[in-house]
Amino acid sequence: VTIKDANGGSFRLRVRATALGGSLEAVTEPLAFNETTGAAMARALETAAPALGNVTVSGPRIRNTTYTWTVTFADYVGPVDPLVVMANDLRDISPASTVQTSVSRVTVGTEPLRGSFTVKFQNTETPALPFNVSAEELARALMNLDSLDLVDVQRAAVDASTGTYRWTVSFTNAMGDLPSLYATPGRLTGGGASITTRTLVPGTPAMLVGASELGAHVRNLTVEGLATDTLYAFKVVPINAVGRGMPTAATATVAARVGASAAQTTATGGTT
């Protein structure tokens, strides 16, 4: 709040807000220009609009004929409209000048994040998920999608005060380099709401070796055509008349090397 070229008199401040902290509109008591400390202005605002909660004011900072106060609404949740200086009762510093007032925003208040979002994978989409969905609930929603099997989800609070969270999703038994998840903002509101996804560790190409025609009696399979000095991991997929089942977790990674012992090039796995 800045007042320039005044020489006494009084002014009022009009405050208005319609955010999550509650709707309010009020006018302060008259404030004597030459005697308005930061504490006096804060007290006047708190008295006029109790819903503001704690208000802090620094100043006035005086430079020639310019007085400036900095007002902070520490407790109110959400943005407050710029204050309006009602300067009808301020006296001009001289007949040749006119009192000037201005209000500028230093930082715009924000509301906490709330609402919901969804996650898409391939052609399937989860139901609406709350903005602070737990790791367990997100994992359950993803595993209910027809296009996914088992996933592991971890959640970390980036800034719990604003409702900012990060979820890390691992595909524990899917094969190959999978397409990325896509998160839709849905009905997220407050706090400059946005949501993004990114790949931390890309998957590696995979192929199915062996086939159902080998017969149910087959319990061992030798995989040929591996590239020397290349790392491989294996999963076992059950197949029956209905179709493919759920892959097992990956085996330990092994390297295909010429002359290596069987212990270094043999991988085992199973499923029930």
Side-chain angles (χ1 to χ4, degrees), residues 24 29 31 48 51 53 68 86 94 97 111 124 127 155 157 168 184 189-190 214 220 223 257 272:
L24 60 92
E29 62 186 10
L31 299 166
T68 302
M86 304 171 69
S94 70
S97 64
E111 298 181 2
T124 55
R155 189 188 78 169
T168 303
T184 64
T189 60
L214 292 176
N220 295 284
V223 181
R257 291 179 181 151
T272 57

Side-chain angles (χ1 to χ4, degrees), residues 113-119 129-142 151-159 162-171 181 183-185 188 194-200:
L113 190 65
R114 58 191 188 278
S116 62
F117 66 98
T118 63
V119 179
L129 303 166
F131 75 94
N132 59 347
V133 62
S134 68
E136 294 77 14
E137 290 172 332
L138 178 56
R140 188 180 306 114
L142 290 173
V151 298
D152 176 74
V153 179
Q154 303 293 324
R155 189 188 78 169
V158 178
D159 186 349
T162 59
T164 306
Y165 293 92
R166 179 178 60 243
W167 294 266
T168 303
V169 180
S170 301
F171 303 96
L181 294 170
T184 64
L188 290 176
S194 65
I195 187 168
T196 59
T197 60
R198 64 188 180 97
T199 300
L200 299 179

Side-chain angles (χ1 to χ4, degrees), residues 168-229:
T168 303
V169 180
S170 301
F171 303 96
T172 57
N173 68 335
M175 297 183 294
D177 189 8
L178 304 178
S180 297
L181 294 170
Y182 174 73
T184 64
R187 296 181 178 180
L188 290 176
T189 60
S194 65
I195 187 168
T196 59
T197 60
R198 64 188 180 97
T199 300
L200 299 179
V201 180
T204 54
M207 61 179 297
L208 185 66
V209 293
S212 57
E213 59 266 21
L214 292 176
H217 62 285
V218 176
R219 294 290 183 271
N220 295 284
L221 179 68
T222 299
V223 181
E224 300 179 346
L226 302 181
T228 303
D229 292 329

